[in-house]
Amino acid sequence: MTGFNISLVEEGLTAYGVERQGAPPWSETRRFWVDAVLQGMARLEDSGPDPMQMERFDRNLEQARGSSAVQPASNQLRRDTIHAIGNYLSVLESVGGDRRRQIAVVRDLLEDMSTHLPWAAGSNELHDILDQTERMLPRMTAAIAPIRFTRVLLGWETGPCESCYASGAVTTPEQVMDSKLYRAISRRYPEVTDWPAVCVVYHGGGRDTPIGVGNAAEFDLEIMNRAGDHLLDLPGIRWMSGPYEFYCEPAPEQTMEGAEPSDPHMVM
């Protein structure tokens, strides 16, 4: 038993949902976060989720929509709720297994709270716990995720230069030019006709050999690109091959028509 006060967390997150009604990213997304956190706590307590939990949540939000005034959560309830979420996060890290998606939900919920002054203000631990999630996710990705990925660097030291992580082994100009990063940076700088690229392939999961390693998934890349170059210093990351150095020079008939909008976080 982990000793979570789930009823208190339900009360706090319901109050938060009521306060944020009508604010992006809208109630459906917040409802998902609340449901995931409460269910996660219940499962760690070795008890099934309360089937009436989200019905109560929905009913409270519906009643608040018909009210002329919404009573905000008390300072004590906010502090207790955030503290309980921090405890939940610590348990997720300690129980073992790949808990990254549950931790990512906590991160998304706390990021949302950090944009709402009543919950973000004061000494309620929110920002410290949010920072904790940002450290945990890349650390766990490096240590437990058996994935293959490439750090792609485009540009010059004295000019436009960007980097990101790509899924699998990216070792040729053609592969780089097929990436969103390349399309985005070449669209922003159409005057540049060729781009120097440096690619280094790594694998994670703490394995000394790449046997059993698969290509990084979109979820892995999202975590790694948020972490940046700091990821490569974490225990569990192993060099695989490279560097591969070359110029990306599109054929004259190629244009940037239909290039995707800038998104340096997602590649390949």
Side-chain angles (χ1 to χ4, degrees), residues 44 59 68 72 78 89 93 99 101 108 121 123-124 138 170 178 183 202 206 209 217 225 237:
L44 288 174
R59 185 167 59 251
S68 58
R78 290 196 294 264
L89 192 67
E93 185 176 30
R99 303 280 180 165
R101 290 192 181 275
D108 293 343
S123 56
N124 60 12
V170 178
D178 193 39
R183 292 194 291 271
Y202 299 90
T209 63
N225 280 307
I237 298 298

Side-chain angles (χ1 to χ4, degrees), residues 165-221:
Y165 297 110
S167 178
V170 178
T171 60
T172 68
E174 292 75 20
Q175 287 175 305
V176 171
M177 288 189 291
D178 193 39
S179 70
K180 290 184 179 181
L181 174 64
Y182 177 83
R183 292 194 291 271
I185 196 172
S186 48
R187 182 175 183 175
R188 286 198 298 276
Y189 303 98
E191 70 278 7
V192 178
T193 57
D194 57 357
W195 289 92
V198 180
C199 299
V200 183
V201 184
Y202 299 90
H203 65 269
R207 302 188 180 192
D208 293 326
T209 63
I211 296 174
V213 171
N215 291 340
E218 184 174 329
F219 178 65
D220 302 316
L221 293 174

